[in-house]
Structure formats: C-alpha cells, structure tokens
Amino acid sequence: MTRTRRTRTRTRTRIWIIVLALVLLGGGATAYTLRAAAGRTATAALPADPGFTLDDHPGALYARDSATGRVARVDPAAPGGRTARGPACDRFHAAGNTALCLQRRPGVPARSYAIVLDRRLREVRRIGLPGVPSRARVSASGSLLAWTMFTTGDSYARSSFSTRTSILDLRTGYLVKNIEQIPLTLDGRRHHAPDVNYWGVTFAADDNRFYATVSTGGRTHLVEADLAAWSARALHENVECPSLSPDGTRIAFKKRVSPGPHEPWRLYVLDLATGREHPVAEHRAFDDQALWKDPRTLAYGHAGGVWSVPADGTGTPRLLAARASSPSLATATSPETDAPPDLGTRSGGGIAVGQPMAVALSQPLALERNRVPWLVRPPG
C-alpha cells in the first residue's frame, strides 16, 4: 500500500470515529433532554391538592419547596416543617383573593406560563409567555398582577440580560405585555433610550401606583409609576427589585455594592419621605425581591432557604424554611369576595372566559392623550 493510500485510510478512519462519537454523544444528550423534559412536564402539570388553600391558615407563610417544586405552607409541626401540596411553580406570590404562579415550560426556546389562581388555588387563567420566570407580585387587593421574565440570560448579575415586565388588571381583564412603553422622567427630563429595561414591580395600596426598577445608561433607578396617568419618574439611584412596606413609607431593595458578578448586592431599606437608606443585618449576598412579613420584618430567599431579618437594621437573620424560595403570606380576606374578578368579554377588547390570554393586546398600550382609559381607576 502506498504512503498516500495509507494516509487516506487513516484519515477516513479518524473521520468515522469522530462521527460515531458525535452520534453517541448526541443520542445521550437527546435522551437526557427527553428524560428531563418528561420529568419537568410531570412536575409542571401538578395542580394544588384538593383542600390545600390559602383560606385555612390566615397569616401563614407559603414558599416554593425546592425538593418538589410545589408551593408549600410552612408549618413547624408538619413533617419536614412544611406541607407541600400546592401547585408546581417556579415563582409564587399571593395577596387578597388572588395568587400568581409562574411556571417554566419544558423545551427550547424558554417558555413559561403565568397562572392566575383564586384563594383555593384553583386555576382561573393561564397566559403563555416567552422567557424564564424571575419576579411575581400581586397587589394587596388581589386586583393587579405583575411578573418579570428573563427574555435573554437568566441572572441579574450578568451584563447581558434582558427582561420583560407585564401587568394584568383583573378588574378589566387587560394585559400590558411590556411596560417599557411607559413615558419615563429621569433627572427632571423626559427620557428616551433604546436600552430602557424594567423589572421587579411592587404595588401601592391604591391599585394605581406602583414602583419598579428601571435600568438605562448603565445605571438602575427606583421609579414610581402611575397607571391612570401612564407615567413614571425616577426617585432614587441604585435600587433593584423593590418591595413596598405595608404602610407605603419604605422600600426594601437590593443595592449593588460591588461592580463584579460575585456577591454584588446587599439588602437595604429606603425611607421614601427622607430618601435615606440603611442596610439590614443580613450581610451575605442577596438576590431576591424581599417580602414584608409584617411592618417590621422582611422575608427573602437566600442560599436555598427562606430567611427573615428586622427591617430597621437590628437583630440577626433567622432561617424560616430550609430548601425553599419565593416566600408569600396568606392574608385574611372578606368571605364575600373569595375569587378574582371575572375576566369575561368586555367592551374595549376584553378576553373571553376560558380563552388563554397568550396575546391580550397586539400593541403593549393604546395611548390617548398620554392616558390609558382602560386603566383609570373606577369611580368611587
């Protein structure tokens, strides 16, 4: 056999070995993906067990159980310190008569559901969304819902991420698919920029105002927004994932204290009247949207568990639930209103009962003299 022929033979052999290796690796990866997707589909399909509701234990703390992916009621007397019989959610929040469950769907590209639940944790609406669940909030009355999805990336610590934040008004059934169209005032002037990005909504008690983080020009700001006037103004720099206190006077937030991706944030509290801020006694890295457990105490996810710490900067962190995240409280409500408002067909483009609201508006907003008529608070 000539030298040239031997070289060609070895080359063909190497090529076939590489091809065979790629086929085996691809088959293994495909099998793993299919098994993972099947497992996730089974978990994601789990609704709440009958009898597991928000009604039986007013004031109880609920959280996502990391082992099962289901919403659990924290109960020191139960096995494992919790009863995990709620729906499967990646992010969960409840208030008033409504709960919001963000649920990641299997497959590529990343897709999710925003599932609206009543106090008995029965599904009321399901909205298809692109992206990965990040933040979920319900207003104190249960009438307004907000969620933030990662549309690019999956962490706020990375420079290359993008989010989409939506607001659903259950009083009208209208969905604002992306609040980035809201007119923004920054440093006293109307701000226009292609890099404007919002996340982490928290609602005021009037079901009209809300606070959120806006990022633009490499900086983050706390904004106060008005739904009826459809406007937003920046209040304070270096504020992310705000959480409004029950009395509406303070904002718990994560503050960037390091420019790098390693442990960049700490938990702080801002006084809205004075503009003064202070750190709480949680000195470890923090990446969550805190929950006001009561007017004096914050709850939050950290290092795979749910913790609490006094909001005034005193005390020490206390573990509330290991292997848990996404804390929420079951607040007491009036028995006359034990379900979210009906989202039936309405004039002006409402969504029919039973229809998935994957697309509620073809455009994020329908502006009229800088106002959104269907978001103006009802009289009285």
Side-chain angles (χ1 to χ4, degrees):
M1 183 181 293
T2 66
R3 183 176 180 179
T4 301
R5 186 173 297 176
R6 285 198 302 269
T7 301
R8 288 175 180 173
T9 301
R10 285 197 297 267
T11 301
R12 284 197 297 268
T13 301
R14 289 170 183 163
I15 291 174
W16 279 110
I17 290 172
I18 292 171
V19 169
L20 180 60
L22 289 174
V23 168
L24 291 174
L25 288 173
T30 301
Y32 173 81
T33 302
L34 291 174
R35 286 196 302 269
R40 187 170 187 91
T41 301
T43 301
L46 287 174
D49 290 351
F52 186 87
T53 74
L54 302 178
D55 286 324
D56 296 335
H57 298 79
L61 180 68
Y62 288 74
R64 179 183 184 270
D65 177 58
S66 301
T68 63
R70 303 182 73 175
V71 173
R73 182 173 59 250
V74 177
D75 181 3
R82 72 201 65 190
T83 303
R85 296 171 50 208
C89 305
D90 291 277
R91 292 289 185 271
F92 177 79
H93 190 249
N97 301 305
T98 309
L100 174 61
C101 171
L102 300 184
Q103 192 179 90
R104 176 80 180 270
R105 301 163 64 185
V108 177
R111 299 174 301 161
S112 301
Y113 285 122
I115 303 174
V116 183
L117 308 167
D118 62 17
R119 283 191 63 83
R120 295 184 177 89
L121 298 179
R122 298 172 302 188
E123 183 173 327
V124 177
R125 287 291 180 272
R126 178 179 293 248
I127 305 166
L129 304 169
V132 178
S134 172
R135 302 290 183 241
R137 271 299 183 266
V138 180
S139 68
S141 71
S143 297
L144 295 174
L145 287 71
W147 54 82
T148 297
M149 310 294 295
F150 280 115
T151 55
T152 302
D154 59 3
S155 171
Y156 294 103
R158 300 178 182 177
S159 59
S160 57
F161 75 87
S162 181
T163 60
R164 175 177 294 177
T165 296
S166 308
I167 294 179
L168 173 63
D169 187 341
L170 294 183
R171 298 166 300 186
T172 60
Y174 280 97
L175 171 68
V176 180
K177 294 168 61 180
N178 193 343
I179 66 172
E180 288 181 7
Q181 299 293 330
I182 191 169
L184 172 65
T185 299
L186 178 63
D187 297 328
R189 298 186 300 272
R190 174 72 186 277
H191 183 74
H192 301 273
D195 68 343
V196 168
N197 203 9
Y198 286 89
W199 64 85
V201 166
T202 182
F203 292 105
D206 61 5
D207 279 341
N208 178 52
R209 291 176 301 117
F210 67 89
Y211 297 84
T213 294
V214 65
S215 172
T216 182
R219 299 184 299 165
T220 60
H221 305 266
L222 173 70
V223 298
E224 180 184 29
D226 187 304
L227 282 172
W230 196 240
S231 63
R233 63 187 181 99
L235 300 179
H236 200 83
E237 192 174 345
N238 197 3
V239 173
E240 298 185 52
C241 301
S243 179
L244 185 64
S245 63
D247 61 5
T249 63
R250 292 159 293 162
I251 291 282
F253 68 100
K254 62 182 209 185
K255 178 177 180 176
R256 182 173 284 274
V257 296
S258 170
H262 180 64
E263 299 188 351
W265 301 287
R266 293 294 185 272
L267 180 56
Y268 274 67
V269 172
L270 170 70
D271 186 299
L272 288 171
T274 66
R276 296 193 185 100
E277 59 181 51
H278 66 264
V280 301
E282 174 57 90
H283 304 300
R284 298 169 297 180
F286 173 81
D287 186 9
D288 197 12
Q289 186 172 19
L291 170 79
W292 288 84
K293 194 169 179 289
D294 56 51
R296 299 171 301 280
T297 312
L298 297 169
Y300 53 94
H302 171 75
V306 171
W307 297 72
S308 70
V309 71
D312 62 3
T314 65
T316 57
R318 183 170 69 93
L319 181 64
L320 300 178
R323 303 178 302 281
S325 62
S326 201
S328 185
L329 290 176
T331 55
T333 60
S334 168
E336 287 81 12
T337 56
D338 63 349
D342 179 22
L343 301 184
T345 304
R346 302 174 188 271
S347 61
I351 308 301
V353 171
Q355 177 184 351
M357 292 189 293
V359 179
L361 297 175
S362 58
Q363 299 294 327
L365 295 171
L367 298 178
E368 180 177 303
R369 295 197 193 98
N370 203 34
R371 295 179 66 83
V372 189
W374 42 265
L375 283 177
V376 175
R377 291 162 58 197

PDB file of all heavy atoms in Angstrom, residues 14-28:
ATOM      1  N   ARG A  14     -10.308   8.131  11.111  1.00  0.00           N
ATOM      2  CA  ARG A  14     -10.492   9.183  12.108  1.00  0.00           C
ATOM      3  C   ARG A  14     -11.831   9.894  11.954  1.00  0.00           C
ATOM      4  O   ARG A  14     -12.514  10.207  12.928  1.00  0.00           O
ATOM      5  CB  ARG A  14      -9.347  10.192  12.012  1.00  0.00           C
ATOM      6  CG  ARG A  14      -8.010   9.654  12.516  1.00  0.00           C
ATOM      7  CD  ARG A  14      -6.902  10.593  12.163  1.00  0.00           C
ATOM      8  NE  ARG A  14      -5.605  10.057  12.568  1.00  0.00           N
ATOM      9  CZ  ARG A  14      -4.442  10.501  12.105  1.00  0.00           C
ATOM     10  NH1 ARG A  14      -4.426  11.481  11.197  1.00  0.00           N
ATOM     11  NH2 ARG A  14      -3.312   9.969  12.539  1.00  0.00           N
ATOM     12  N   ILE A  15     -12.196  10.147  10.701  1.00  0.00           N
ATOM     13  CA  ILE A  15     -13.478  10.823  10.445  1.00  0.00           C
ATOM     14  C   ILE A  15     -14.636   9.980  10.959  1.00  0.00           C
ATOM     15  O   ILE A  15     -15.557  10.470  11.617  1.00  0.00           O
ATOM     16  CB  ILE A  15     -13.637  11.123   8.943  1.00  0.00           C
ATOM     17  CG1 ILE A  15     -12.636  12.204   8.526  1.00  0.00           C
ATOM     18  CG2 ILE A  15     -15.075  11.559   8.641  1.00  0.00           C
ATOM     19  CD1 ILE A  15     -12.609  12.462   7.035  1.00  0.00           C
ATOM     20  N   TRP A  16     -14.589   8.657  10.669  1.00  0.00           N
ATOM     21  CA  TRP A  16     -15.680   7.786  11.129  1.00  0.00           C
ATOM     22  C   TRP A  16     -15.717   7.689  12.651  1.00  0.00           C
ATOM     23  O   TRP A  16     -16.790   7.619  13.261  1.00  0.00           O
ATOM     24  CB  TRP A  16     -15.519   6.389  10.518  1.00  0.00           C
ATOM     25  CG  TRP A  16     -16.044   6.311   9.103  1.00  0.00           C
ATOM     26  CD1 TRP A  16     -15.344   6.169   7.959  1.00  0.00           C
ATOM     27  CD2 TRP A  16     -17.413   6.413   8.717  1.00  0.00           C
ATOM     28  NE1 TRP A  16     -16.161   6.160   6.873  1.00  0.00           N
ATOM     29  CE2 TRP A  16     -17.457   6.312   7.301  1.00  0.00           C
ATOM     30  CE3 TRP A  16     -18.609   6.579   9.419  1.00  0.00           C
ATOM     31  CZ2 TRP A  16     -18.639   6.381   6.596  1.00  0.00           C
ATOM     32  CZ3 TRP A  16     -19.796   6.633   8.693  1.00  0.00           C
ATOM     33  CH2 TRP A  16     -19.807   6.541   7.308  1.00  0.00           C
ATOM     34  N   ILE A  17     -14.563   7.695  13.297  1.00  0.00           N
ATOM     35  CA  ILE A  17     -14.531   7.672  14.761  1.00  0.00           C
ATOM     36  C   ILE A  17     -15.175   8.936  15.327  1.00  0.00           C
ATOM     37  O   ILE A  17     -15.975   8.899  16.276  1.00  0.00           O
ATOM     38  CB  ILE A  17     -13.074   7.533  15.259  1.00  0.00           C
ATOM     39  CG1 ILE A  17     -12.543   6.127  14.944  1.00  0.00           C
ATOM     40  CG2 ILE A  17     -12.988   7.809  16.762  1.00  0.00           C
ATOM     41  CD1 ILE A  17     -11.059   5.963  15.227  1.00  0.00           C
ATOM     42  N   ILE A  18     -14.836  10.082  14.721  1.00  0.00           N
ATOM     43  CA  ILE A  18     -15.428  11.352  15.178  1.00  0.00           C
ATOM     44  C   ILE A  18     -16.934  11.352  14.975  1.00  0.00           C
ATOM     45  O   ILE A  18     -17.717  11.764  15.840  1.00  0.00           O
ATOM     46  CB  ILE A  18     -14.768  12.535  14.441  1.00  0.00           C
ATOM     47  CG1 ILE A  18     -13.298  12.667  14.877  1.00  0.00           C
ATOM     48  CG2 ILE A  18     -15.532  13.828  14.719  1.00  0.00           C
ATOM     49  CD1 ILE A  18     -12.506  13.668  14.058  1.00  0.00           C
ATOM     50  N   VAL A  19     -17.380  10.882  13.791  1.00  0.00           N
ATOM     51  CA  VAL A  19     -18.813  10.835  13.500  1.00  0.00           C
ATOM     52  C   VAL A  19     -19.542   9.949  14.500  1.00  0.00           C
ATOM     53  O   VAL A  19     -20.597  10.298  15.038  1.00  0.00           O
ATOM     54  CB  VAL A  19     -19.055  10.357  12.061  1.00  0.00           C
ATOM     55  CG1 VAL A  19     -20.538  10.054  11.839  1.00  0.00           C
ATOM     56  CG2 VAL A  19     -18.569  11.401  11.066  1.00  0.00           C
ATOM     57  N   LEU A  20     -18.948   8.746  14.771  1.00  0.00           N
ATOM     58  CA  LEU A  20     -19.561   7.819  15.713  1.00  0.00           C
ATOM     59  C   LEU A  20     -19.647   8.436  17.112  1.00  0.00           C
ATOM     60  O   LEU A  20     -20.669   8.314  17.798  1.00  0.00           O
ATOM     61  CB  LEU A  20     -18.749   6.519  15.763  1.00  0.00           C
ATOM     62  CG  LEU A  20     -19.265   5.425  16.729  1.00  0.00           C
ATOM     63  CD1 LEU A  20     -20.690   5.016  16.349  1.00  0.00           C
ATOM     64  CD2 LEU A  20     -18.342   4.233  16.719  1.00  0.00           C
ATOM     65  N   ALA A  21     -18.573   9.130  17.525  1.00  0.00           N
ATOM     66  CA  ALA A  21     -18.582   9.783  18.843  1.00  0.00           C
ATOM     67  C   ALA A  21     -19.660  10.849  18.924  1.00  0.00           C
ATOM     68  O   ALA A  21     -20.378  10.973  19.928  1.00  0.00           O
ATOM     69  CB  ALA A  21     -17.207  10.385  19.132  1.00  0.00           C
ATOM     70  N   LEU A  22     -19.799  11.628  17.855  1.00  0.00           N
ATOM     71  CA  LEU A  22     -20.827  12.675  17.845  1.00  0.00           C
ATOM     72  C   LEU A  22     -22.221  12.074  17.916  1.00  0.00           C
ATOM     73  O   LEU A  22     -23.107  12.608  18.594  1.00  0.00           O
ATOM     74  CB  LEU A  22     -20.687  13.532  16.585  1.00  0.00           C
ATOM     75  CG  LEU A  22     -19.463  14.459  16.542  1.00  0.00           C
ATOM     76  CD1 LEU A  22     -19.348  15.150  15.190  1.00  0.00           C
ATOM     77  CD2 LEU A  22     -19.555  15.512  17.657  1.00  0.00           C
ATOM     78  N   VAL A  23     -22.431  10.959  17.189  1.00  0.00           N
ATOM     79  CA  VAL A  23     -23.748  10.311  17.214  1.00  0.00           C
ATOM     80  C   VAL A  23     -24.063   9.816  18.615  1.00  0.00           C
ATOM     81  O   VAL A  23     -25.175   9.997  19.136  1.00  0.00           O
ATOM     82  CB  VAL A  23     -23.785   9.142  16.202  1.00  0.00           C
ATOM     83  CG1 VAL A  23     -25.031   8.285  16.427  1.00  0.00           C
ATOM     84  CG2 VAL A  23     -23.758   9.682  14.784  1.00  0.00           C
ATOM     85  N   LEU A  24     -23.074   9.172  19.264  1.00  0.00           N
ATOM     86  CA  LEU A  24     -23.299   8.659  20.617  1.00  0.00           C
ATOM     87  C   LEU A  24     -23.550   9.785  21.605  1.00  0.00           C
ATOM     88  O   LEU A  24     -24.460   9.715  22.437  1.00  0.00           O
ATOM     89  CB  LEU A  24     -22.088   7.830  21.064  1.00  0.00           C
ATOM     90  CG  LEU A  24     -21.875   6.501  20.328  1.00  0.00           C
ATOM     91  CD1 LEU A  24     -20.559   5.854  20.756  1.00  0.00           C
ATOM     92  CD2 LEU A  24     -23.049   5.557  20.570  1.00  0.00           C
ATOM     93  N   LEU A  25     -22.762  10.859  21.511  1.00  0.00           N
ATOM     94  CA  LEU A  25     -22.965  11.995  22.410  1.00  0.00           C
ATOM     95  C   LEU A  25     -24.308  12.658  22.167  1.00  0.00           C
ATOM     96  O   LEU A  25     -25.025  13.025  23.106  1.00  0.00           O
ATOM     97  CB  LEU A  25     -21.836  13.014  22.223  1.00  0.00           C
ATOM     98  CG  LEU A  25     -20.463  12.613  22.779  1.00  0.00           C
ATOM     99  CD1 LEU A  25     -19.410  13.634  22.364  1.00  0.00           C
ATOM    100  CD2 LEU A  25     -20.523  12.504  24.298  1.00  0.00           C
ATOM    101  N   GLY A  26     -24.646  12.816  20.872  1.00  0.00           N
ATOM    102  CA  GLY A  26     -25.932  13.439  20.550  1.00  0.00           C
ATOM    103  C   GLY A  26     -27.097  12.604  21.038  1.00  0.00           C
ATOM    104  O   GLY A  26     -28.075  13.127  21.576  1.00  0.00           O
ATOM    105  N   GLY A  27     -26.980  11.256  20.879  1.00  0.00           N
ATOM    106  CA  GLY A  27     -28.047  10.384  21.363  1.00  0.00           C
ATOM    107  C   GLY A  27     -28.200  10.463  22.859  1.00  0.00           C
ATOM    108  O   GLY A  27     -29.306  10.510  23.397  1.00  0.00           O
ATOM    109  N   GLY A  28     -27.044  10.503  23.581  1.00  0.00           N
ATOM    110  CA  GLY A  28     -27.112  10.620  25.039  1.00  0.00           C
ATOM    111  C   GLY A  28     -27.718  11.931  25.469  1.00  0.00           C
ATOM    112  O   GLY A  28     -28.539  11.975  26.385  1.00  0.00           O
TER     113      GLY A  28
END
